[in-house]
Amino acid sequence: MTGTRVLVLNSGSSSLKYQLLDMSDSALLAQGLVERIGERTSRLRHTPAGGETRAQDGPIADHDAALKAVAAELDRDGLGLDSPELVAIGHRVVHGGQRFTEPTVVDDSVLAEIERLIPVAPLHNPANLTGIRTARALRPDLPQVAVFDTAFHTTMPESAARYALDVATADAHRVRRYGFHGTSHAYVSRATAKLLGRAPQDVNVIVLHLGNGASASAVRGGRCVDTSMGLTPLEGLVMGTRSGDLDPAVIFHLMRVGEMSADEIDTLLNKRSGLIGLCGDNDMREILRRIDEGDEQARLAFDIYIHRLKKYIGAYYAVLGRVDAIAFTAGVGENAAPVREAALAGLDELGIRVDGGLNAVRADGARLISPPAARVAVAVVPTDEELEIATQTYALVGKGGPEST
């Protein structure tokens, strides 16, 4: 192949996020987002590298129409999808189960397996499938590559991946801990090692992906050995609208005493819990503003969020035995200095300290916020899931075979 361009698609139920990259130097050529697909108020925002954002409003009926609209915008920039420079389309797929442990070229059998996994990812895999099928129809001659959120976590040992359930029941229904945000954890753990001037295989990192969805991972020598999300993205840290960890008997209690249905409890735990359930806001900026004004409900929500986060940091320190770095990433992790400071406060005996001055500085790019003499480096590392997907896609189709990430 002579081309070096990869188009990355992240398909949601009513959205399509995309980036076009040139993998000869990892340059971003264009990016954009189609929102509210299937509604009258659909919107496409497209930004070519070095250019101004273009927006168009109006009905976009489905993902097929959305991708065709994206193709038209790229064509206006001389970056059309019919270009011989385009070698593949990489797709984010949330759930790959146990079968998909690396990026995979999509064929009918791969599509069938992704569809079979819908029961364990009902909100995500159907939309991911729609994006793949739409792209295949538009460019049937081009390799379509699925990059799975769960793949990075398939290196977890069985002691971390299995729940203490009856084995036959768990296996029959594919109940185990899969983990999510894998492309982010892979990218950030590797970028953290680079920031330290060391090889990934020589570094142990706790990665904290803190956005509206949030997850932690323990990465030993470039391989995930534990992560906070489980069968679904509900387990683990307190999130914007998700509860994270709770006693499973809470569900039975709500069914029996609260007379709530399974669907009502599902909605409660995934959409009306976490920060929004605790204080009515899931935007950390707004919560911090309210705390500054003396709002006790916002303060309690923040304290619960930090308490859970600190517990996972301590747990993963114990799992790893030796920690070289803690890396904060995603919207909250990259931008909320008070969260970083509070999460690591009081951990001096573990060699973990934050430099207040460095932590307060807002800057682009990966950076250290720990004192130079700190035993454990603390880093802020902007995630780039689209670049990670493009890198894995190009490694598979552009260079003749998959490479280690």
Side-chain angles (χ1 to χ4, degrees):
M1 294 183 181
T2 58
T4 56
R5 293 178 189 168
V6 173
L7 177 66
V8 174
L9 299 181
N10 185 346
S11 301
S13 58
S14 61
S15 65
L16 178 65
K17 185 179 180 183
Y18 64 92
Q19 285 191 7
L20 180 67
L21 299 104
D22 188 332
M23 299 312 297
S24 64
D25 56 2
S26 300
L28 177 64
L29 302 177
Q31 62 183 325
L33 173 67
V34 187
E35 299 177 282
R36 300 188 293 275
I37 296 171
E39 301 179 21
R40 292 183 178 180
T41 56
S42 305
R43 182 171 223 214
L44 189 160
R45 289 176 296 175
H46 174 86
T47 307
E52 295 185 358
T53 298
R54 302 192 295 265
Q56 64 179 64
D57 298 299
I60 296 178
D62 51 29
H63 283 74
D64 180 65
L67 188 53
K68 287 177 179 175
V70 169
E73 290 298 318
L74 290 169
D75 198 50
R76 285 179 61 183
D77 300 322
L79 302 169
L81 297 191
D82 58 351
S83 168
E85 286 294 311
L86 185 65
V87 295
I89 299 178
H91 299 265
R92 180 199 180 202
V93 178
V94 167
H95 215 308
Q98 290 179 267
R99 172 177 167 183
F100 298 113
T101 62
E102 58 187 21
T104 304
V105 175
V106 174
D107 58 20
D108 290 343
S109 68
V110 170
L111 281 176
E113 182 64 14
I114 295 172
E115 189 163 21
R116 194 175 75 87
L117 288 163
I118 286 176
V120 289
L123 300 179
H124 298 94
N125 274 29
N128 303 155
L129 278 168
T130 297
I132 294 172
R133 286 171 173 148
T134 299
R136 285 184 94 196
L138 190 62
R139 283 297 308 270
D141 59 311
L142 206 62
Q144 310 285 330
V145 176
V147 178
F148 299 90
D149 270 20
T150 49
F152 183 65
H153 304 303
T154 58
T155 56
M156 284 191 294
E158 285 292 280
S159 57
R162 276 201 176 267
Y163 293 108
L165 291 174
D166 168 70
V167 172
T169 301
D171 289 350
H173 300 288
R174 303 191 298 279
V175 176
R176 61 186 289 115
R177 301 183 62 250
Y178 294 99
F180 299 90
H181 295 146
T183 52
S184 178
H185 287 278
Y187 177 86
V188 171
S189 60
R190 195 171 60 246
T192 301
K194 182 178 180 181
L195 181 65
L196 299 180
R198 299 169 64 180
Q201 59 266 29
D202 297 330
V203 177
N204 291 356
V205 186
I206 297 172
V207 177
L208 304 171
H209 177 108
L210 307 179
N212 191 53
S215 60
S217 67
V219 182
R220 178 184 293 126
R223 295 167 61 86
C224 178
V225 295
D226 206 348
T227 193
S228 58
M229 287 179 167
L231 173 72
T232 75
L234 179 59
E235 187 182 359
L237 302 175
V238 175
M239 304 176 223
T241 65
R242 299 179 192 137
S243 65
D245 294 340
L246 83 167
D247 182 347
V250 169
I251 296 170
F252 311 136
H253 178 78
L254 292 174
M255 284 180 167
R256 293 166 182 153
V257 178
E259 298 183 346
M260 295 177 69
S261 69
D263 286 343
E264 287 173 330
I265 296 171
D266 187 287
T267 299
L268 171 68
L269 298 182
N270 280 290
K271 298 182 179 179
R272 295 196 291 114
S273 295
L275 292 172
I276 203 164
L278 290 167
C279 71
D281 271 309
N282 63 327
D283 188 322
M284 185 58 72
R285 293 166 296 187
E286 183 63 16
I287 292 170
L288 291 171
R289 184 194 66 77
R290 287 170 56 184
I291 291 172
D292 287 341
E293 294 178 352
D295 189 316
E296 290 302 318
Q297 200 67 29
R299 165 56 67 182
L300 177 60
F302 181 83
D303 289 347
I304 293 170
Y305 181 95
I306 293 298
H307 181 76
R308 184 80 55 80
L309 183 56
K310 188 168 289 191
K311 282 175 66 175
Y312 268 92
I313 292 168
Y316 286 172
Y317 200 117
V319 167
L320 291 170
R322 186 198 84 237
V323 175
D324 300 299
I326 297 172
F328 289 87
T329 193
V332 175
E334 294 170 28
N335 298 299
V339 169
R340 299 191 296 261
E341 180 180 5
L344 302 183
L347 302 183
D348 300 59
E349 291 298 319
L350 298 178
I352 301 171
R353 291 179 57 206
V354 171
D355 182 297
L358 294 175
N359 187 40
V361 173
R362 294 180 66 91
D364 296 329
R367 63 194 187 278
L368 294 175
I369 59 171
S370 49
R375 189 164 78 244
V376 178
V378 179
V380 178
V381 181
T383 192
D384 196 333
E385 294 175 87
E386 284 75 22
L387 176 58
E388 181 68 18
I389 292 169
T391 299
Q392 294 191 31
T393 297
Y394 189 65
L396 183 62
V397 306
K399 299 179 181 179
E403 294 182 354
S404 171
T405 61

